[in-house]
Amino acid sequence: MKRLKSSVAVLVFAVVGAASSWTSASASAQVSVRAAAVPAAAAAVSEVVAPGVGYRAFTVRTSHGSARVHVLTVDLGRRGVQAGLLYAGGVAAREKVSVMAARQGAVAGVNGDFFDIEESQHPGVQATGATSGPAVRAGRPLKAAVPDGQRFGWPLPRGGSTEDVFGVGVDGIARTGRLTLQGHIRTAAHGTLPLRGLNQYALPVGSIGVFTPRWGATSRARAVCGTDDVRAAPCTRDAYEVTVRRGVVRSVSSTPGSGRIPEGSVVLLGREAGAKALRALKPGTAVKVDYRLASSGRAPFAFALGAHPIVVSGRPFPGLDTVVAEPRSAIGIARGGHVMRLLSTDGREGTSSGLTVSELARLLATLECDAGAYLDGGGSATLATRDHTGHLVVRNALDHGEERAVSNGVAVYSR
């Protein structure tokens, strides 16, 4: 097993809460974005980004080389400090972390969930860019999780699910959890049908999913490809789509459509048994669609995104990979959910080797995180913050020096 050397144990630091010159005016979305310079000597760096938000960079040594680590510590208990979802303007849309953070007036951000990045296994089908896991924005459900076999990214640990999330509740407390879609389609003539998809790039076999205006303009064809266990399985030809506007079926189609869904409308898409059920809904049929993302947490999520637990009760999750070192992004929760740590490592170029998932978990535990979750890594790993000039800069060295457009992320605000 590869181990982080004992020198990592001293890399524990407190929340930065000192006063700074940052004002609400500097939080305007009208800021420029530039690349951060990499310190020549790779020495430890410590900065105040904004009140309640501190940044540190340091190097850890592992059995496979050294890894440059970038950590943002966020005091959620401080007045004016909040976290939210970085959002590209649609579920099926991608944008750079630095651009999303600048547009949303955030002082920092990190990339989020794994996403549908390519569809070479389904020739002619457009990759959607949508994430695998659930997402909540401003207290409202954006999307639900795809079947586990349809996800992109690293293999899930034992007991893991695409429904796993990190988020902050309406009580301002950060936590991990699981968000499960609960929904129904109700009609007077045809009874109740279960709803098993919400703005997902992949629907369970035999199911019906709903697409809302939040999906975006991207084709919905990918949603009927693959199976619950095999992402690369062919697309089904047995699909059916129903457009509902203001509670009434307006049009139907035997193929999944594309283009923006107007406000006040939703699209129901079924495959196999779900398609058969939808064929009974003729134009003019009254339809009511209800859905929510259910969580066992003590407070509803103000925002949440897909993330996979790797630290539980202050201890690394058992059975994590100890072999593959890659650029990684993660999020840690400390002090009972009042402190959040966003972490990303340097890319594949240069002297940084990245971390294994096991090393990443152990580092989060060393940084006094009671819980921690893994986000997307590789070329997606990006941590951006404001610098002393007011510019938003990418702090970690990127894969091939290019910032990748991603589907979502975690935004940090300090008012």
Side-chain angles (χ1 to χ4, degrees), residues 64-98:
H64 51 78
S66 62
R68 188 69 172 172
V69 179
H70 306 261
V71 178
L72 194 76
T73 297
V74 183
D75 183 0
L76 293 172
R78 185 180 179 119
R79 186 174 181 178
V81 176
Q82 293 180 311
L85 186 74
L86 285 178
Y87 181 57
V91 170
R94 294 167 56 192
E95 204 166 28
K96 296 176 180 179
V97 167
S98 60

Side-chain angles (χ1 to χ4, degrees), residues 247-273:
V248 177
V249 174
R250 301 297 184 185
S251 62
V252 298
S253 174
S254 59
T255 57
S258 62
R260 295 195 177 278
I261 300 170
E263 294 295 332
S265 297
V266 298
V267 171
L268 302 175
L269 176 60
R271 56 178 297 178
E272 296 93 18

Side-chain angles (χ1 to χ4, degrees), residues 255-295:
T255 57
S258 62
R260 295 195 177 278
I261 300 170
E263 294 295 332
S265 297
V266 298
V267 171
L268 302 175
L269 176 60
R271 56 178 297 178
E272 296 93 18
K276 180 179 180 180
L278 287 183
R279 289 189 184 101
L281 304 183
K282 307 301 182 182
T285 303
V287 175
K288 185 176 181 180
V289 181
D290 295 311
Y291 60 83
R292 70 186 188 101
L293 292 176
S295 171

Side-chain angles (χ1 to χ4, degrees), residues 23 115 127 133 145 163 173 213-214 262 354 363 415:
T23 66
F115 57 91
E163 295 182 344
I173 304 299
R214 306 289 82 76
L363 179 56
R415 309 297 186 189

Side-chain angles (χ1 to χ4, degrees), residues 145-147 150 196-197 200-204 211 222-225 227 271:
V146 302
Q150 289 268 17
R196 296 184 60 199
Q200 295 167 209
Y201 69 76
L203 295 175
F211 291 82
R222 174 58 182 87
V224 297
C225 298
T227 67
R271 56 178 297 178

Side-chain angles (χ1 to χ4, degrees), residues 154-222:
W154 68 306
L156 289 172
R158 183 177 299 175
S161 166
T162 49
E163 295 182 344
D164 291 328
V165 298
F166 162 85
V168 175
V170 295
D171 56 0
I173 304 299
R175 72 177 195 271
T176 57
R178 190 166 283 187
L179 286 173
T180 302
L181 177 66
Q182 295 180 352
H184 297 87
I185 304 161
R186 293 181 172 89
T187 68
H190 305 287
T192 300
L193 300 171
L195 191 66
R196 296 184 60 199
L198 169 62
N199 289 331
Q200 295 167 209
Y201 69 76
L203 295 175
V205 172
S207 73
I208 301 171
V210 62
F211 291 82
T212 75
R214 306 289 82 76
W215 169 255
T218 302
S219 170
R220 298 177 289 275
R222 174 58 182 87

Side-chain angles (χ1 to χ4, degrees), residues 5-387:
K5 294 189 176 181
S6 59
S7 60
V8 176
V10 303
L11 299 173
V12 177
F13 51 93
V15 174
V16 178
S20 78
S21 61
W22 293 97
T23 66
S24 59
S26 71
S28 166
Q30 304 302 315
V31 297
S32 59
V33 178
R34 67 183 185 185
V38 178
V45 176
S46 181
E47 297 178 10
V48 174
V49 173
V53 183
Y55 163 75
R56 285 202 66 187
F58 49 86
T59 300
V60 297
R61 298 193 180 281
T62 74
S63 61
H64 51 78
S66 62
R68 188 69 172 172
V69 179
H70 306 261
V71 178
L72 194 76
T73 297
V74 183
D75 183 0
L76 293 172
R78 185 180 179 119
R79 186 174 181 178
V81 176
Q82 293 180 311
L85 186 74
L86 285 178
Y87 181 57
V91 170
R94 294 167 56 192
E95 204 166 28
K96 296 176 180 179
V97 167
S98 60
V99 174
M100 287 189 284
R103 187 182 65 251
Q104 295 179 203
V107 299
V110 71
N111 66 286
D113 193 6
F114 293 93
F115 57 91
D116 175 20
I117 191 170
E118 63 88 24
E119 286 296 334
S120 59
Q121 296 164 321
H122 303 113
V125 174
Q126 179 183 5
T128 65
T131 60
S132 297
V136 173
R137 180 173 180 257
R140 297 178 178 273
L142 275 181
K143 69 176 302 291
V146 302
D148 286 354
Q150 289 268 17
R151 69 183 294 275
F152 285 75
W154 68 306
L156 289 172
R158 183 177 299 175
S161 166
T162 49
E163 295 182 344
D164 291 328
V165 298
F166 162 85
V168 175
V170 295
D171 56 0
I173 304 299
R175 72 177 195 271
T176 57
R178 190 166 283 187
L179 286 173
T180 302
L181 177 66
Q182 295 180 352
H184 297 87
I185 304 161
R186 293 181 172 89
T187 68
H190 305 287
T192 300
L193 300 171
L195 191 66
R196 296 184 60 199
L198 169 62
N199 289 331
Q200 295 167 209
Y201 69 76
L203 295 175
V205 172
S207 73
I208 301 171
V210 62
F211 291 82
T212 75
R214 306 289 82 76
W215 169 255
T218 302
S219 170
R220 298 177 289 275
R222 174 58 182 87
V224 297
C225 298
T227 67
D228 298 358
D229 301 313
V230 182
R231 191 179 75 214
C235 306
T236 182
R237 295 183 180 180
D238 187 6
Y240 200 75
E241 192 171 87
V242 172
T243 299
V244 178
R245 180 163 180 78
R246 304 198 186 283
V248 177
V249 174
R250 301 297 184 185
S251 62
V252 298
S253 174
S254 59
T255 57
S258 62
R260 295 195 177 278
I261 300 170
E263 294 295 332
S265 297
V266 298
V267 171
L268 302 175
L269 176 60
R271 56 178 297 178
E272 296 93 18
K276 180 179 180 180
L278 287 183
R279 289 189 184 101
L281 304 183
K282 307 301 182 182
T285 303
V287 175
K288 185 176 181 180
V289 181
D290 295 311
Y291 60 83
R292 70 186 188 101
L293 292 176
S295 171
S296 60
R298 56 187 175 271
F301 281 109
F303 93 92
L305 76 169
H308 305 287
I310 56 174
V311 176
V312 179
S313 300
R315 296 176 178 272
F317 201 82
L320 298 176
D321 179 72
T322 62
V323 177
V324 181
E326 291 278 6
R328 308 283 183 188
S329 289
I331 194 154
I333 302 169
R335 302 185 189 177
H338 294 284
V339 169
M340 179 175 71
R341 303 200 201 280
L342 310 182
L343 180 151
S344 197
T345 68
D346 279 355
R348 297 183 177 98
E349 284 74 37
T351 59
S352 180
S353 65
L355 296 172
T356 68
V357 178
S358 176
E359 291 167 342
L360 182 66
R362 293 169 61 193
L363 179 56
L364 286 172
T366 300
L367 295 174
E368 298 184 326
C369 294
D370 306 313
Y374 182 41
L375 303 168
D376 195 2
S380 298
T382 309
L383 178 69
T385 78
R386 298 272 175 103
D387 68 4

